[in-house]
Amino acid sequence: MLVVTIELVPGGFEPMRRTIGSIRISNETDLAKVSNYRIVAQEAANRLTGDPAGIAECMVRDHPRQQRVWALLQKACEELMKADFVEL
């Protein structure tokens, strides 16, 4: 499983650091050369947009594992942009 944590550090001031989102990427196909991945993302409430905290799930299918991790992360983010987030 890959875990990506997104933190906001206002003005680079470390004591104000806070997590605003996370993504968990799990291989669902027993590490096959071309794999399917389950994506679960959570995001904190956004005071600027008024969006509540939420969670979403989606899939990345038929991803060649020999690619760099960034290619998988890009596909995961693209799928999450289409996903419906459910309020927490």
Side-chain angles (χ1 to χ4, degrees):
M1 175 188 303
L2 298 173
V3 178
V4 178
T5 303
I6 298 96
E7 295 181 331
L8 179 64
V9 184
F13 187 62
E14 293 289 333
M16 296 293 292
R17 173 190 302 256
R18 61 188 163 96
T19 299
I20 61 171
S22 66
I23 303 170
R24 295 183 183 280
I25 303 173
S26 304
N27 190 308
E28 298 280 305
T29 47
D30 201 27
L31 303 178
K33 287 185 178 188
V34 177
S35 289
N36 297 331
Y37 294 87
R38 179 174 179 249
I39 314 300
V40 178
Q42 288 187 307
E43 59 184 21
N46 186 327
R47 288 179 252 149
L48 293 176
T49 65
D51 291 327
I55 188 168
E57 293 187 35
C58 58
M59 292 290 294
V60 169
R61 298 191 187 280
D62 303 322
H63 177 75
R65 289 188 64 236
Q66 77 275 10
Q67 293 184 354
R68 294 178 184 264
V69 68
W70 307 115
L72 177 57
L73 183 58
Q74 178 183 10
K75 287 180 183 177
C77 289
E78 288 169 356
E79 291 302 318
L80 285 168
M81 293 302 294
K82 298 183 274 185
D84 291 322
F85 277 77
V86 176
E87 187 175 341
L88 291 176

